[in-house]
Amino acid sequence: ALFSTFYFFTLVLQQVLGYSPLHTGLSYLPLSVGMALGGWGIAPLVPRAGPRPILLGGLTLAAGALFWLSSVDAGADYLGDVLGPCVLLGSGMGAVLNATTNAATAGLAPHQAGLASGLLNTTRQLGSAVGLVTLAALSAARIDARTGAGASAVDARAAGYGLALTGAALFAVAGLVAALFVPVRKQSRIPQGDTGTPR
């Protein structure tokens, strides 16, 4: 969902809204800041709450933001139609990336942490590639269909890229369902009256 969004969001900004490359780069700042603050702000909570609630909250934010972005068309305004979902998407995905890493490596012996981290990064890259190819094919088909029906080039692109962002949102929803099966973090409790010191 996340890496496909980078590709299609850039196309929306440049080919639908008509932004220059510099304007496009500056438009990414709220998303990037949101990711940084989302990951940084949530980091202390993950060990205490466990990854499941963080994943559920972050993926809900991300899915909502992607559905919102999918409606952007040539008449969209940055402040009213783009800024809000950028901040939500960045915050949600920052939390998700942090919690995913924690869930993948929690409870492992130190010598297995590197293997788990490598597996996580490999599947993340593989998922990004498969997701992008799938959404690009759907987007191209929608653009061709709208162009053949007589729509303008900009409107056809908006429809195609909107479909791709809807697909990315559905990937986030699938992640939300998967997050329901992440084990709940069990906190050890000290019996009442026990100081917790070894006997």
Side-chain angles (χ1 to χ4, degrees):
L2 178 63
F3 295 105
S4 297
T5 298
F6 290 151
Y7 177 74
F8 289 106
F9 184 49
T10 300
L11 294 178
V12 167
L13 292 175
Q14 293 190 349
Q15 296 187 5
V16 176
L17 298 182
Y19 289 4
S20 68
L22 177 60
H23 195 176
T24 298
L26 293 174
S27 299
Y28 264 98
L29 284 176
L31 194 154
S32 302
V33 171
M35 285 186 70
L37 293 179
W40 173 77
I42 214 72
L45 299 178
V46 177
R48 294 200 296 268
R52 184 200 280 183
I54 308 300
L55 287 170
L56 293 175
L59 286 164
T60 299
L61 281 179
L66 288 168
F67 279 123
W68 189 353
L69 277 178
S70 71
S71 66
V72 171
D73 57 20
D77 174 68
Y78 183 82
L79 290 178
D81 302 302
V82 178
L83 179 60
C86 278
V87 173
L88 289 179
L89 179 63
S91 302
M93 279 304 187
V96 167
L97 292 173
N98 191 310
T100 301
T101 302
N102 183 282
T105 57
L108 295 178
H111 69 278
Q112 294 178 318
L115 176 63
S117 179
L119 181 61
L120 172 64
N121 287 326
T122 299
T123 54
R124 186 176 286 162
Q125 295 299 324
L126 182 61
S128 301
V130 172
L132 181 56
V133 167
T134 302
L135 296 179
L138 292 173
S139 176
R142 171 64 65 87
I143 291 172
D144 289 344
R146 287 297 175 90
T147 302
S152 68
V154 172
D155 288 341
R157 289 172 187 157
Y161 304 151
L163 177 63
L165 290 170
T166 299
L170 293 175
F171 286 154
V173 171
L176 183 63
V177 173
L180 294 172
F181 298 94
V182 173
V184 177
R185 176 70 48 85
K186 293 182 179 179
Q187 297 181 348
S188 58
R189 296 182 178 179
I190 299 174
Q192 199 169 12
D194 193 342
T195 61
T197 55
R199 293 190 175 96

